[in-house]
């Protein structure tokens, strides 16, 4: 669900250089407890109070939007953060957290080091029971690969040459066998969880890390905007020397996800996935012609102005804000006019986008309405089931509804994944058809009881 959200999580400025997209891994949580196909957090300990209110010569500065979390996303290798706005601490998993929920916009800076480590997983080889094909692969790999590097290469070969495909709608899996050796469809969490499990089974300490990867560069302001679409999961393995090393199996399966960032990657069509990063970006930028490019440029400029203003206000107390406005108020008439013009263009572009977004929201609304209807009929959706998988499952239970279910799946796919536009009355018409069908089913059930 996050991959279709363009909601801003935070923005980041870099002091001396602009990192390559592949370097932008923002840590959020470390998962060490394995339970089948699921990974969960274990308890963390505070290792040091790492927030200082003093100004520091930082590598990067983050402006974080309000959330219901106590998390400060930080780049790998960050050893300290500085902020006059929050009190934070660092855990023994190199995660930075705050004591209070972040309910307003905050700003903090980070200092990185070239190397870093952390406490090893409490149970580095903890595994649950594995299915037969997975066990057979582990046994054969151990037999043919005795040292750390050989095992690492065997793991890479499995994911890089195993025929896996990245998809946002893989459905649910019974076990690792079905994922690794049969369907081979998944997204980052599937690849990360499976890799970490296999690494542990081969004797390599491993853990899953979740957070954000990538972002979108604002060319007007030279800063990075990270959105919910950049949510990601990867793996850390512990080397024989004792340091943690990042491994991202998603890069072997879908390199464009890492090279472009989530926001651009999820705009690509399936046929675009074979392109190089440069060609894919060029194709994305060329879509929609000059009008779309103008809208994008205006949005970038407005976002840049908004960000600069936000950073300025966050850096001032109330008295300094008033002094700033009093000093510049007589001179800002010309750029206020410019801002108004840009705002009008921005509102116009937002209306164009809102038309598409409203239909996507309507797709969710109708699906939730259907989910409640079917739940009242005793057909419940498992929380891990994707909407399309759930609707496909209902076909088996209610074969008489197969045609209407097929129509619903098609319309949902069109609107959620932008395969084509629908007509303005499509969703209302679909709801009327379903209401009619539910009434017919109710009458049929009443007649049968009589």
């Amino acid at each position: 669900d996050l991959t279709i959200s363009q909601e801003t999580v935070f923005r980041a400025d870099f002091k001396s250089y602009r990192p390559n997209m592949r370097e932008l891994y923002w840590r959020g949580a470390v998962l060490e407890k394995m339970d089948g196909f699921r990974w969960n957090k274990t308890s963390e300990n505070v290792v040091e109070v790492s927030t200082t209110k003093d100004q520091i010569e930082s590598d990067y500065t983050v402006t974080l939007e309000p959330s219901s979390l106590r998390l400060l996303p930080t780049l790998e290798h960050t050893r300290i953060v500085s902020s006059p706005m929050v009190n934070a601490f660092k855990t023994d998993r190199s995660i930075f957290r705050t004591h209070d929920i972040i309910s307003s916009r905050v700003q903090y800076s980070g200092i990185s080091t070239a190397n870093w480590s952390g406490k090893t997983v409490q149970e580095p080889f903890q595994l649950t029971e594995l299915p037969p094909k997975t066990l057979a692969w582990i046994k054969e790999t151990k037999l043919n690969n005795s040292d750390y590097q050989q095992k690492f290469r065997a793991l890479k070969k499995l994911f890089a040459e195993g025929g896996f495909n990245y998809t946002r709608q893989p459905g649910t899996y019974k076990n690792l066998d079905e994922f690794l050796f049969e369907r081979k469809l998944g997204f980052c969490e599937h690849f990360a969880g499976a890799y970490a499990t296999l690494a542990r089974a081969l004797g390599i300490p491993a853990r899953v890390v979740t957070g954000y990867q990538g972002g979108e560069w604002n060319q007007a302001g030279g800063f990075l905007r990270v959105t919910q679409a950049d949510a990601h999961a990867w793996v850390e393995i512990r080397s024989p020397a004792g340091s943690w090393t990042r491994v991202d199996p998603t890069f072997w399966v879908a390199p464009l996800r890492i090279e472009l960032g989530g926001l651009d990657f999820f705009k690509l069509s399936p046929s675009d996935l074979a392109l190089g990063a440069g060609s894919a970006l060029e194709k994305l930028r060329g879509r929609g012609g000059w009008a779309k490019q103008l809208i994008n440029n205006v949005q970038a400029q407005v976002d840049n102005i908004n960000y600069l203003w936000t950073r300025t206000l966050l850096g001032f107390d109330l008295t300094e804000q008033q002094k700033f406005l009093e000093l510049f108020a007589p001179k800002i008439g010309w750029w206020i006019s410019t801002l108004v013009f840009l705002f009008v263009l921005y509102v116009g572009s937002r209306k164009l986008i809102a038309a598409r977004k409203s239909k996507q929201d309507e797709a969710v609304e109708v699906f939730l309405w259907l989910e409640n209807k079917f739940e009242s009929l005793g057909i419940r959706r498992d929380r891990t089931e994707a909407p399309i998988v759930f609707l496909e499952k209902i076909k088996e239970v209610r074969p008489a509804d197969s045609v209407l279910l097929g129509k619903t799946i098609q319309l949902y796919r069109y609107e959620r994944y932008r395969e084509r536009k629908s007509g303005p009355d499509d969703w209302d018409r679909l709801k009327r058809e379903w209401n009619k069908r539910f009434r017919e089913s109710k009458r049929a059930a009443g007649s049968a009881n009589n």
Side-chain angles (χ1 to χ4, degrees):
D1 292 337
L2 289 177
T3 62
I4 59 175
S5 173
Q6 298 186 23
E7 179 186 356
T8 300
V9 181
F10 60 90
R11 296 174 176 86
D13 272 309
F14 295 87
K15 300 297 182 183
S16 57
Y17 77 107
R18 169 172 161 170
N20 186 285
M21 192 68 72
R22 293 189 191 183
E23 301 174 41
L24 295 171
Y25 282 81
W26 303 87
R27 294 165 62 80
V30 175
L31 315 180
E32 297 174 349
K33 185 178 179 182
M34 179 204 167
D35 179 17
F37 223 158
R38 302 176 188 274
W39 285 74
N40 299 293
K41 290 189 292 185
T42 56
S43 59
E44 296 178 300
N45 300 309
V46 178
V47 292
E48 57 179 301
V49 175
S50 301
T51 297
T52 172
K53 295 188 177 182
D54 299 328
Q55 290 297 319
I56 59 174
E57 190 61 35
S58 60
D59 300 322
Y60 63 91
T61 299
V62 171
T63 303
L64 181 66
E65 295 298 312
S67 70
S68 58
L69 305 175
R70 294 180 170 88
L71 171 69
L72 298 179
T74 53
L75 284 177
E76 293 175 319
H77 318 306
T78 299
R79 64 180 177 86
I80 189 171
V81 297
S82 167
S83 174
M85 307 179 68
V86 291
N87 292 316
F89 58 90
K90 184 179 182 181
T91 75
D92 52 5
R93 272 50 169 192
S94 295
I95 301 296
F96 288 85
R97 301 190 183 282
T98 60
H99 294 283
D100 301 314
I101 288 175
I102 300 169
S103 57
S104 61
R105 189 180 283 133
V106 300
Q107 193 175 94
Y108 56 94
S109 299
I111 297 179
S112 301
T113 55
N115 298 296
W116 68 284
S117 185
K119 183 179 177 181
T120 186
V121 289
Q122 295 173 346
E123 299 176 76
F125 307 116
Q126 175 259 336
L127 287 166
T128 54
E129 184 178 352
L130 299 176
K133 291 181 181 178
T134 302
L135 286 173
W137 183 89
I138 292 166
K139 182 178 180 181
E140 181 182 356
T141 303
K142 280 184 174 180
L143 185 65
N144 298 322
N145 303 273
S146 57
D147 64 31
Y148 176 89
Q149 289 298 331
Q150 289 175 332
K151 292 174 181 177
F152 177 79
R153 285 192 290 268
L155 282 166
K156 179 179 178 180
K157 182 177 180 180
L158 174 65
F159 285 88
E161 303 175 15
F164 291 94
N165 288 295
Y166 192 107
T167 176
R168 292 178 294 185
Q169 296 289 328
T172 56
Y173 284 104
K174 295 178 293 185
N175 53 40
L176 269 176
D177 277 1
E178 187 181 4
F179 170 65
L180 289 172
F181 305 106
E182 296 171 23
R183 290 168 53 202
K184 301 185 178 184
L185 301 171
F187 47 86
C188 58
E189 287 186 350
H190 293 90
F191 303 126
Y195 184 101
T197 298
L198 295 177
R200 282 192 179 186
L202 293 175
I204 301 174
R207 60 194 188 185
V208 174
V209 182
T210 60
Y212 299 91
Q213 191 283 322
E216 179 186 51
W217 288 106
N218 183 299
Q219 301 299 335
F223 62 87
L224 184 79
R225 183 172 76 100
V226 177
T227 69
Q228 293 291 4
D230 297 303
H232 193 56
W234 59 96
V235 179
E236 289 175 350
I237 58 176
R238 196 169 178 87
S239 70
S243 61
W244 288 102
T245 302
R246 182 208 336 129
V247 178
D248 192 348
T250 299
F251 178 72
W252 299 324
V253 178
L256 290 181
R257 167 61 188 86
I258 310 305
E259 293 174 334
L260 301 183
L263 208 57
D264 279 335
F265 175 75
F266 293 116
K267 296 175 185 176
L268 297 174
S269 64
S271 61
D272 295 334
L273 299 183
L275 298 173
S279 299
L281 270 179
E282 186 178 346
K283 188 170 183 179
L284 284 174
R285 300 299 179 257
R287 286 179 181 170
W290 67 268
K292 180 64 175 177
Q293 292 179 26
L294 175 62
I295 290 173
N296 290 338
N297 290 336
V298 170
Q299 288 178 325
Q301 291 288 353
V302 171
D303 193 35
N304 180 39
I305 292 170
N306 177 55
Y307 179 49
L308 288 174
W309 183 247
T310 297
R311 287 203 59 185
T312 300
L313 293 186
L314 285 176
F316 289 166
D317 61 23
L318 182 59
T319 302
E320 289 173 322
Q321 291 174 31
Q322 291 173 342
K323 288 180 179 178
F324 177 83
L325 291 174
E326 288 171 1
L327 177 63
F328 287 97
K331 305 175 184 178
I332 60 177
W334 66 270
W335 64 262
I336 286 181
S337 301
T338 303
L339 282 178
V340 170
F341 174 71
L342 289 174
F343 179 74
V344 170
L345 286 179
Y346 176 69
V347 170
S349 66
R350 294 291 294 178
K351 286 183 177 180
L352 292 176
I353 296 170
R356 171 61 57 85
K357 184 177 179 181
S358 65
K359 281 187 281 188
Q360 290 185 334
D361 292 343
E362 194 167 7
V364 176
E365 183 181 335
V366 172
F367 172 76
L368 294 175
W369 173 78
L370 275 175
E371 184 182 358
N372 288 332
K373 287 285 188 180
F374 285 120
E375 185 172 346
S376 68
L377 297 174
I379 306 173
R380 297 181 181 275
R381 176 192 174 205
D382 187 275
R383 68 184 183 88
T384 62
E385 282 183 317
I388 290 176
V389 175
F390 174 63
L391 295 173
E392 290 283 2
K393 182 181 72 174
I394 297 174
K395 287 184 179 181
E396 302 175 7
V397 183
R398 296 172 63 95
D401 295 336
S402 293
V403 174
L404 191 52
L405 283 164
K407 183 177 180 180
T408 305
I409 291 169
Q410 184 183 48
L411 190 58
Y412 185 89
R413 182 181 289 118
Y414 284 162
E415 290 301 347
R416 292 300 280 172
Y417 308 118
R418 305 182 182 185
E419 297 179 17
R420 73 156 175 81
K421 294 181 180 179
S422 64
D425 300 324
D426 283 355
W427 289 109
D428 289 338
R429 189 180 302 114
L430 182 69
K431 285 188 73 171
R432 288 197 296 270
E433 290 182 36
W434 271 114
N435 276 321
K436 180 180 178 182
R437 181 64 190 140
F438 287 135
R439 288 194 297 270
E440 292 172 350
S441 298
K442 187 174 182 180
R443 283 197 297 268
S447 300
N449 290 335
N450 293 332

